[in-house]
Amino acid sequence: MAAAARIIAAAILGVTLIMLGTSTTLGEDRRISGTQHDVAIPGTPVCMYCHIPHAANAETLWASKPNMTGAFSGLRPLCFSCHDGTVTSLGSFAFDLARPLHMRSPGVVGADCDRCHDAHGTPYAKFLKLPGAADFCQGCHAVAGPVNHPVDIDARSLGIEPQDSSWNPYAGDFHGTRLWSEDGTGPGDYMKCLSCHATHGGEPDTSFNTMPSGSLCTNCHVGKRQVPE
Amino acid sequence: MSFSFPGSEQLLPEAPRARMLSVAGLAALFVAAMAFIFPSLLPLSRESSSARISTAVYPAGQAWALPHPGEGEWLMPAGAVTIGDAIFVADTGNNRILRLERERGRATVLGGAGLTLQMPMAIATDGQRLFVANSLAGDIVILDPSGQLESTITLPAGATGAPPRPIGVAVVPGGGLVVSDAEHHRVLRLDAAGAVVWSVGTGARGGGTEGFNVPAAVTVDDAGNIYVVDTLNARVVVLSSTGRFIRQIGERGDTAGTLARPKGVAVDETRDIFVSDGLLAAVEVFDPDGKYLGLIGRRDPSDVQSTSALVAPAGISITDGVLLVTDRHAGLVAFDLPPRH
């Protein structure tokens, strides 16, 4: 009886997922069709590429959970199954298990990779759930203020020039403090959260710093006199 | 003749049957050296820690002498092939090719700084040369086993004008290559000079008998038939040597006998088809007609939910009865295949 109930529930959920995936009235901020995650052959349901509609082993109707514990568990294997250089090369560095990753709770809805990303589409770049670009962190960490290192400041106007301003994980470059445009969407002169931190690919044993602790500060502050008054 | 794999209790815990290799840095080397010094530590059980599993080296008990600390570390390798005593690994995350020499127990980097690769996703060999799918550069790099660059084949742009993105390459007996282009969802047959002989695929996401949705690994059997992992269509497409659709193997699912995210493909001398699946963390085996035969890598060969020796298997190859699985996170895992009839 319980098994039958589970099958019925799975069927209802599967049909619902298919309807949601193909619907154009679902809401502009939560749909896959037309996004980079729409990998469907035109005219076919977009859901089935991640969700198994029938006889799925996993509760959430996606492929069975091969890795139940450890750093490569929860949603991470599912994301990596495309972001591994096959379907796309984008973000592949985020799956380097030797590098720290922002805290997540594997398998917990809303606290896994989906703590920050919503694979079903958002109005923001990189499927992020909050706006803010390079200041995205402040959506949860409302600690950037007078008692912390200032952000959203024009560093170059203060005479600060990072010695290493390149951080390009795709080229294996995980060192550097980037300056951003004022809105945080591209290169510029402004100090942002992501100048010093990278939620994927930061230095081991740091707060996702983009340089080792010994050089993070001095990369911009070459001598104490460069600290603005 | 029916074919079945032995139970995983035989497949996995015994080092001679399931041999793992991983060059994971000095820490692993230290443990490997300890295992070499104290061979009673081997064979290792599957319940061992990951560090100890990584030192069930290939061959068991032998440590790899790295020329420089860290140089032999690899990052998310995607494929490997064997020439004689050497294993050549596409060290994808480090944008390079590693040569692992079993007899001498050392790892070297091919080509040095003069060889520039951009996300090499696959590697193939004709026994004399190496062919590397240099995915983000859109070309095929041809090397000799010492790492000397012989030539580069630049692939033609697709219909959209975007650069091609080769993520699979195989050598055709008699000459030439088969290459998959994930960007344009096509498979190219190249002659020995690198010219396109034919192309299969619509240029956009497709399926059926004429299309692919992210074609990935490719291989060729001794009759010239071509096997293409059609990643997002969850199948392997079999093409004739002229590119004609013959059949498809597998269907979408997450149970034994289905495919969730196929990654690698290999064919043995009986033309049974081995398919690695990155989400099922296993290698599935099908007969030439597509009938499911069994599962490699799980403790219970009939249960894709049972504990796996693999994490994220990708490229696979078969040489002299050994199935070599390149796992993006677990390193190289080699399985002795049972005798075939």
Side-chain angles (χ1 to χ4, degrees):
Chain A
M1 194 66 182
R6 281 198 295 271
I7 291 172
I8 293 170
I12 292 172
L13 181 54
V15 170
T16 303
L17 286 167
I18 292 172
M19 293 175 64
L20 292 177
T22 54
S23 171
T24 56
T25 59
L26 184 60
E28 291 302 311
D29 63 343
R30 188 173 174 83
R31 61 186 178 90
I32 291 179
S33 298
T35 73
Q36 288 178 299
H37 282 171
D38 182 354
V39 295
I41 300 169
T44 65
V46 299
C47 308
M48 66 181 184
Y49 297 90
C50 292
H51 301 279
I52 309 295
H54 302 290
N57 276 314
E59 298 169 357
T60 40
L61 292 178
W62 56 59
S64 62
K65 302 171 180 176
N67 307 287
M68 304 299 286
T69 60
F72 197 67
S73 59
L75 277 176
R76 216 172 182 191
L78 183 64
C79 302
F80 184 66
S81 73
C82 285
H83 289 264
D84 62 350
T86 56
V87 177
T88 179
S89 61
L90 293 175
S92 58
F93 66 91
F95 299 90
D96 176 358
L97 303 187
R99 290 191 173 273
L101 180 70
H102 187 283
M103 183 188 74
R104 68 188 183 100
S105 301
V108 177
V109 175
D112 198 336
C113 300
D114 55 355
R115 182 187 294 272
C116 297
H117 301 279
D118 183 348
H120 296 95
T122 78
Y124 315 115
K126 300 179 180 178
F127 294 87
L128 289 170
K129 294 164 74 172
L130 294 169
D135 283 333
F136 171 80
C137 315
Q138 295 175 71
C140 292
H141 301 275
V143 296
V147 297
N148 293 283
H149 190 291
V151 294
D152 290 332
I153 58 170
D154 184 342
R156 284 202 170 95
S157 72
L158 298 172
I160 290 178
E161 182 66 41
Q163 296 180 85
D164 180 355
S165 60
S166 169
W167 188 83
N168 182 6
Y170 291 104
D173 176 10
F174 290 91
H175 285 172
T177 50
R178 296 163 292 176
L179 295 181
W180 297 83
S181 59
E182 188 170 9
D183 64 1
T185 59
D189 301 323
Y190 278 74
M191 164 79 192
K192 300 284 184 178
C193 299
L194 293 189
S195 294
C196 297
H197 302 281
T199 50
H200 315 100
E203 281 292 307
D205 303 319
T206 69
S207 296
F208 325 112
N209 297 348
T210 56
M211 299 194 81
S213 298
S215 57
L216 182 63
C217 304
T218 57
N219 189 53
C220 291
H221 301 284
V222 187
K224 192 174 180 180
R225 61 185 171 83
Q226 279 208 17
V227 177
E229 295 296 329
Chain B
M1 175 174 289
S2 64
F3 175 82
S4 62
F5 286 93
S8 60
E9 293 304 320
Q10 294 171 297
L11 263 178
L12 293 174
E14 300 171 14
R17 296 196 66 88
R19 299 170 295 188
M20 296 185 180
L21 178 154
S22 177
V23 186
L26 294 177
L29 272 178
F30 170 77
V31 183
M34 293 298 289
F36 182 66
I37 296 169
F38 302 105
S40 60
L41 290 175
L42 301 172
L44 301 172
S45 73
R46 296 187 65 241
E47 286 69 32
S48 302
S49 69
S50 58
R52 290 187 65 190
I53 284 178
S54 72
T55 60
V57 291
Y58 188 121
Q62 182 174 359
W64 296 92
L66 307 181
H68 303 289
E71 189 168 37
E73 294 179 0
W74 56 31
L75 178 59
M76 294 189 281
V81 293
T82 301
I83 302 179
D85 181 55
I87 301 174
F88 297 86
V89 182
D91 184 9
T92 308
N94 286 323
N95 296 313
R96 63 184 186 174
I97 305 299
L98 283 179
R99 175 190 175 111
L100 309 179
E101 296 170 81
R102 282 175 282 187
E103 288 296 323
R104 300 172 70 178
R106 71 176 189 181
T108 54
V109 179
L110 289 196
L115 176 62
T116 301
L117 298 175
Q118 298 178 53
M119 207 167 192
M121 285 295 293
I123 185 170
T125 183
D126 60 1
Q128 305 293 323
R129 297 171 295 173
L130 298 167
F131 303 86
V132 179
N134 194 16
S135 69
L136 297 188
D139 56 33
I140 303 297
V141 172
I142 304 175
L143 307 168
D144 72 17
S146 72
Q148 187 71 34
L149 177 64
E150 290 198 356
S151 60
T152 300
I153 299 173
T154 301
L155 301 176
T160 64
R165 189 163 59 87
I167 61 172
V169 60
V171 175
V172 177
L177 299 173
V178 174
V179 175
S180 65
D181 175 5
E183 178 65 28
H184 300 289
H185 308 282
R186 62 182 177 170
V187 173
L188 303 171
R189 169 73 163 91
L190 308 179
D191 66 17
V196 176
V197 178
W198 51 253
S199 173
V200 175
T202 62
R205 298 185 194 277
T209 61
E210 297 181 348
F212 302 100
N213 194 348
V214 187
V218 289
T219 194
V220 184
D221 69 18
D222 55 5
N225 297 315
I226 297 161
Y227 302 76
V228 183
V229 169
D230 191 6
T231 309
L232 291 178
N233 285 328
R235 63 178 182 168
V236 171
V237 172
V238 185
L239 302 174
S240 72
S241 60
T242 60
R244 178 179 53 84
F245 180 92
I246 297 177
R247 69 174 64 87
Q248 70 175 44
I249 306 293
E251 60 179 329
R252 193 183 309 277
D254 69 347
T255 54
T258 63
L259 299 171
R261 218 46 119 231
K263 296 294 178 181
V265 63
V267 179
D268 70 4
E269 68 274 15
T270 67
R271 297 185 189 166
D272 282 344
I273 303 151
F274 295 67
V275 186
S276 65
D277 194 300
L279 274 179
L280 301 186
V283 175
E284 297 191 274
V285 189
F286 301 86
D287 76 7
D289 294 323
K291 178 186 176 185
Y292 174 66
L293 296 178
L295 189 71
I296 297 175
R298 293 282 182 178
R299 175 181 290 275
D300 179 353
S302 65
D303 181 8
V304 294
Q305 298 284 66
S306 59
T307 306
S308 179
L310 303 169
V311 178
I316 58 176
S317 61
I318 298 174
T319 305
D320 297 332
V322 174
L323 171 67
L324 186 62
V325 180
T326 307
D327 190 295
R328 305 299 298 273
H329 294 305
L332 296 187
V333 185
F335 296 91
D336 286 335
L337 297 176
R340 313 306 306 279
H341 304 288

